[in-house]
Amino acid sequence: MIAKIGAALRTHVRLHMLFLDNNRITESGAASVADCLKNKQDLRVFNIDYNHIGVNGAAKVSEQLKNNYGLSKLYCDANVIGEEGCEKLAECMEMMDSLKKVCIENNNIGDRGAIALSKALEDNDTLLSLHLENNNISREGAYTLGEMISNKYKLSKLNLNSNPIGDEGFSRIARGIQDIETLRIITLASTNITHNSMPVLSQSLANKRFLTKLLIDNNKLGPEGAKLLAKGLSANETLTNLHLANC
């Protein structure tokens, strides 16, 4: 079916949004999708979430997306792409000047994938939203992400839930977002952090005037961590959601 849809879409000159999420598309289907993406330079949103395109499928899609310079939103959650597949997707992201939202959750991209993404997005000055939940990213990947994020002054959403980044990796992330005043949502649940991370986070939160949501569940903050978190949020007047379950 996706092969038929792909063949039909090749004839459309202007394709602005393509949503193919949750359709059991595999590697062969991804080849058909990639084929229909040729010369679709008007494409702004591409969503292939919750399929099974794998490494080779990611490579084929990425190869064609390289020509879509105006793409602003890319969704590729839960596609079994792993480290190598993420590296392939990063190749096309490096060519995109207007990319505002990147969602690559539940793909086990690891540190290799995080490093590839960081390099690809290094010169991007339009990024607003980055979602990398549950990707087995640890300290090394968090270091490069923190460095990349540090100059993303328009960033409003950051999701790193369920990654074992630990205190050292988290400290680099916290320093990376320290000067970003536009952040509205930060989600860091289940990231293996302790009260040792709280001093740098507290300092980073002090200027987050627009922060509305902070998730930091399932981390070992303890009483001292809670005090430092409270200090960092003391001047905030916009927070509406604070999640501290099991801390």
Side-chain angles (χ1 to χ4, degrees):
M1 184 57 70
I2 197 63
K4 293 179 181 179
I5 292 172
L9 288 174
R10 282 200 298 272
T11 63
H12 287 260
V13 178
R14 290 181 178 273
L15 184 64
H16 292 230
M17 299 181 183
L18 181 58
F19 291 80
L20 297 169
D21 44 309
N22 200 22
N23 272 303
R24 295 183 296 171
I25 299 170
T26 61
E27 179 184 329
S28 59
S32 300
V33 173
D35 199 32
C36 83
L37 292 174
K38 289 180 180 178
N39 302 316
K40 293 293 187 294
Q41 296 184 9
D42 292 314
L43 192 67
R44 297 294 178 265
V45 180
F46 178 63
N47 187 332
I48 198 166
D49 282 350
Y50 298 99
N51 287 289
H52 302 88
I53 66 172
V55 176
N56 293 330
K60 290 170 182 175
V61 167
S62 177
E63 186 61 32
Q64 297 307 323
L65 282 177
K66 287 179 181 177
N67 299 318
N68 296 88
Y69 307 113
L71 195 75
S72 63
K73 296 180 180 180
L74 175 60
Y75 302 84
C76 191
D77 293 347
N79 264 294
V80 206
I81 65 173
E83 299 174 335
E84 189 178 348
C86 187
E87 288 175 332
K88 295 297 183 183
L89 278 181
E91 291 176 8
C92 75
M93 290 185 220
E94 197 168 354
M95 312 292 290
M96 298 171 182
D97 297 329
S98 304
L99 202 56
K100 295 180 181 180
K101 186 171 185 176
V102 176
C103 296
I104 306 182
E105 300 180 352
N106 304 300
N107 273 298
N108 198 29
I109 68 171
D111 290 334
R112 269 179 59 190
I115 291 169
L117 279 178
S118 298
K119 291 179 179 178
L121 296 171
E122 186 175 10
D123 296 326
N124 176 296
D125 60 1
T126 58
L127 191 66
L128 302 177
S129 189
L130 181 61
H131 300 256
L132 298 175
E133 181 171 342
N134 193 28
N135 270 307
N136 199 30
I137 299 169
S138 61
R139 182 182 65 177
E140 187 179 357
Y143 263 63
T144 56
L145 284 171
E147 187 175 347
M148 178 271 291
I149 290 169
S150 63
N151 66 355
K152 299 295 177 281
Y153 298 113
K154 298 177 182 178
L155 192 69
S156 64
K157 297 179 183 178
L158 177 64
N159 182 351
L160 291 173
N161 281 348
S162 303
N163 285 291
I165 61 178
D167 285 327
E168 290 187 44
F170 178 73
S171 293
R172 187 64 190 88
I173 295 289
R175 287 196 295 272
I177 64 174
Q178 185 165 336
D179 296 325
I180 304 177
E181 298 182 6
T182 55
L183 271 169
R184 295 174 53 205
I185 298 174
I186 304 173
T187 60
L188 296 160
S190 303
T191 47
N192 288 0
I193 60 177
T194 71
H195 65 279
N196 294 321
S197 294
M198 290 302 101
V200 65
L201 178 60
S202 179
Q203 185 177 358
S204 179
L205 291 173
N207 69 342
K208 301 293 180 285
R209 295 180 299 144
F210 303 107
L211 189 69
T212 60
K213 189 174 184 177
L214 176 62
L215 274 65
I216 199 165
D217 311 63
N218 302 311
N219 288 296
K220 297 179 180 180
L221 307 188
E224 294 305 315
K227 291 176 183 177
L228 288 165
L229 186 62
K231 181 179 179 182
L233 293 170
S234 60
N236 181 289
E237 297 181 356
T238 57
L239 194 70
T240 57
N241 286 270
L242 178 61
H243 295 218
L244 290 169
N246 193 31
C247 282

